[in-house]
């Protein structure tokens, strides 16, 4: 009887065995994860191929100009959506525009030749710089490609306004504003500032990215958001408006004039020995010191938009009318969906309800905990109460700001690697659907890009 008491019962034996096995399993998992964390660290940023990643590619990848097509797709999900959508529209004819239209050239065996180009004397300095930068961007992407790119004839429109069938900087978001010509295609290309922008307070995307990263470190960590300036900031040229919104900037200035929540000024341009400047300009990274950054489009798009998107700040803008090559990645919160305060008679009279064309252009409206940008009324009538609402909800505002920077800067969508990935995808996509037969291209020799770059059309 005493011996039986000393022996564990079967149920007790089972519990002890289970406990020992559980402890061993935990120890094994800890040892396994510790030994393999380095092996999988570089893969942790890869996510779905159909939507942007919320994780950060490693710095060495973001500076790699020679990623293959599969590597590009894995690193920057959704980057080429604009190209894919345009390719899906089907084939088109590449017609010759002559020397008075966009620059046209041939890509063959990895070499660029320029066939048609406007004379340098017929272009403004800004246009010459834009054309030069775009061709250098293309050249760099071809030179660094790890695999041959297809031969093709291309048309490159370096002006702000999209027209005809060409590589261009923007397209109208609203289908009603697009050409009804079935042969017209707008293939979006990265902005010329990825090469360089000859404005002293901008420079280039790479320079600005480094400066913004350095500045944003000042506001990282607990309480960092509250140390930013609690105002909405804007600098710009008052008359530079789209025909679709002819008084947008003047209305902004009137709305913000003398208000304590705003730092909004028209640029006071000066011509100096070192070039064109403005006495009250901010370096582009300086906008990131503010909690709220106001964005206005120009004649079409605004080249400053991508710089503002690198800030951990809330971008406030009327619904975007002109898409650039990464605009499809924005996730708008509409101010019209917010409770902006008591419904006074005046506010009810001017309450903004997005028009049908805006709802068609931007069919998805995101909740405050998902958005990375805020769309306000096109006439700025609710700008002030929207800023007040964001100030009253600082965690929401900071979340919108952080998601923006986390995607466009942290996710690498404005990195040198993403730019070259996009250019190569653009060449491949265009070549799939561009038809040149019967348009007289066979007898056109052209000038080697290297020679053209020395005189630039003189």
């Amino acid at each position: 009887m005493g011996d039986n008491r000393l022996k564990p019962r079967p149920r007790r034996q089972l519990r002890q065995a289970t406990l020992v096995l559980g402890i061993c399993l935990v120890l094994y998992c800890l040892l396994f994860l510790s030994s393999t964390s380095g092996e999988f660290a570089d893969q942790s940023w890869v996510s779905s191929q159909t939507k942007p990643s919320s994780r950060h590619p490693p710095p060495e990848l973001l500076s790699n100009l020679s990623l293959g097509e599969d590597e590009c797709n894995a690193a920057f999900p959704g980057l080429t959506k604009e190209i894919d959508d345009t390719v899906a529209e089907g084939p088109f004819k590449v017609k010759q525009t002559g020397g008075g239209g966009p620059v046209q050239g041939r890509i063959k065996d990895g070499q660029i030749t320029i066939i048609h180009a406007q004379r340098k004397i017929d272009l403004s300095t800004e246009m010459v710089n834009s054309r030069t930068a775009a061709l250098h961007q293309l050249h760099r992407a071809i030179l660094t490609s790890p695999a041959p790119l297809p031969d093709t004839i291309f048309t490159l429109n370096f002006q702000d306004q999209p027209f005809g069938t060409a590589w261009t900087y923007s397209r109208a978001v609203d289908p009603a504003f697009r050409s009804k010509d079935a042969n017209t295609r707008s293939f979006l290309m990265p902005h010329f500032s990825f090469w360089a922008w000859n404005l002293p307070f901008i420079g280039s995307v790479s320079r600005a990215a480094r400066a913004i990263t350095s500045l944003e470190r000042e506001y990282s960590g607990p309480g960092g958001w509250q140390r930013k300036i609690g105002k909405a900031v804007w600098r710009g040229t008052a008359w530079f408006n789209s025909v679709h919104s002819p008084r947008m900037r003047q209305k902004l200035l009137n709305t913000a004039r003398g208000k304590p929540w705003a730092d909004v000024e028209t640029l006071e341009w000066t011509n100096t020995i070192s070039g064109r400047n403005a006495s009250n300009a901010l370096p582009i990274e300086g906008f990131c010191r503010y909690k709220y950054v106001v964005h206005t489009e120009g004649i079409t798009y605004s080249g400053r938009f991508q710089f503002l998107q690198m800030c951990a700040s809330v971008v406030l803008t009327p619904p975007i009318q002109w898409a650039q090559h990464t605009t499809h990645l924005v996730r708008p919160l509409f101010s019209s969906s917010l409770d902006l305060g008591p419904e006074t008679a005046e506010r009810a009279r001017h309450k903004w309800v997005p028009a049908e064309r805006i709802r068609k252009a931007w069919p998805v409206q995101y909740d405050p905990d998902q958005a990375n940008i805020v769309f306000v009324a096109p006439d700025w009538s609710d700008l002030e109460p929207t800023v007040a609402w964001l100030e009253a909800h600082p965690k929401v505002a900071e979340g919108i700001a952080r998601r923006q920077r986390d995607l466009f800067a942290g996710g690498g969508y404005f990195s040198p690697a993403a730019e070259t990935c996009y250019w190569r995808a653009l060449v491949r996509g265009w070549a799939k659907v561009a038809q040149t037969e019967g348009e007289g291209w066979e007898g056109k020799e052209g000038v080697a890009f290297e020679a053209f770059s020395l005189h630039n059309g003189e």
Side-chain angles (χ1 to χ4, degrees), residues 170-426:
S170 70
R171 65 163 178 82
V173 176
D174 186 346
F177 295 151
R178 299 180 201 168
S179 171
K180 302 302 186 291
D181 184 348
N183 194 62
T184 297
R185 301 287 186 278
S186 292
F187 281 77
L188 299 189
M189 61 182 175
H191 193 254
F192 60 82
S193 58
F194 280 89
W195 183 263
W197 194 346
N198 191 28
L199 286 176
F201 42 85
I202 295 183
S204 70
V205 169
S206 295
R207 186 215 66 81
R210 291 190 297 270
I212 291 171
T213 295
S214 177
L215 184 147
E216 287 291 355
R217 289 195 187 103
E218 300 177 27
Y219 303 102
S220 61
W225 173 254
Q226 293 302 331
R227 291 196 299 275
K228 288 200 170 192
I229 301 169
K231 294 185 177 184
V233 64
W234 181 83
R235 295 290 187 274
T237 305
W239 55 264
F240 204 66
N241 293 302
S242 166
V243 294
H244 304 305
S245 303
R247 291 190 56 78
M248 175 187 286
R249 298 185 178 206
Q250 291 91 333
K251 288 179 180 178
L252 170 63
L253 290 165
N254 291 336
T255 299
R257 185 174 290 113
K259 299 298 178 65
W261 52 266
D263 183 357
V264 171
E265 299 177 5
T266 185
L267 285 171
E268 298 174 3
W269 289 103
T270 59
N271 290 317
T272 65
I273 295 176
S274 59
R276 194 164 178 250
N277 205 340
S279 59
N280 61 337
L282 296 174
I284 199 67
E285 61 270 20
F287 288 87
C288 303
R289 293 194 181 278
Y290 292 76
K291 290 181 181 178
Y292 314 108
V293 180
V294 177
H295 168 61
T296 53
E297 293 179 300
I299 301 299
T300 54
Y301 72 100
S302 170
R304 287 181 297 176
F305 186 35
Q306 59 213 2
F307 295 93
L308 305 181
Q309 289 179 295
M310 290 190 282
C311 296
S313 302
V314 179
V315 171
L316 303 169
T317 178
I320 295 170
Q321 298 186 76
W322 296 95
Q324 295 175 264
H325 81 290
T326 57
T327 303
H328 62 278
L329 297 174
V330 305
R331 310 181 100 186
L333 167 66
F334 280 68
S335 60
S336 57
S337 68
L338 302 175
D339 180 4
L340 298 179
E343 188 75 7
T344 64
E346 182 179 359
R347 180 168 293 173
R349 188 165 58 252
H350 296 289
K351 183 177 178 60
W352 174 49
V353 177
E356 182 180 357
R357 63 178 183 82
I358 292 176
R359 294 196 300 271
K360 285 183 177 179
W362 295 99
V364 181
Q365 300 184 26
Y366 291 86
D367 293 332
D369 61 348
Q370 298 176 314
N372 58 22
I373 195 171
V374 177
F375 285 176
V376 299
D379 63 357
W380 308 102
S381 57
D382 66 355
L383 179 60
E384 182 171 1
T386 299
V387 172
W389 189 93
L390 291 167
E391 281 287 272
H393 299 82
K395 289 186 178 179
V396 174
E398 182 177 4
I400 294 171
R402 299 291 181 201
R403 279 188 290 277
Q404 172 174 260
R405 175 162 172 77
D406 187 63
L407 175 63
F408 292 103
Y413 284 84
F414 293 153
S415 67
E419 186 217 346
T420 52
C421 282
Y422 189 94
W423 273 105
R424 289 193 283 269
L426 174 58

Side-chain angles (χ1 to χ4, degrees), residues 12-58:
R12 185 178 177 187
Q13 286 178 318
L14 180 61
R15 286 201 301 267
Q16 288 179 336
T18 301
L19 178 62
V20 170
L21 286 173
I23 292 172
C24 291
L25 180 61
V26 169
L27 290 173
Y28 172 78
C29 290
L30 289 173
L31 289 171
F32 176 79
L33 290 173
S34 175
S35 64
T36 59
S37 61
E39 178 183 351
F40 291 100
D42 290 343
Q43 300 298 319
S44 63
W45 50 268
V46 178
S47 69
S48 167
Q49 299 298 297
T50 59
K51 62 182 180 180
S53 171
S54 61
R55 301 184 182 183
H56 295 178

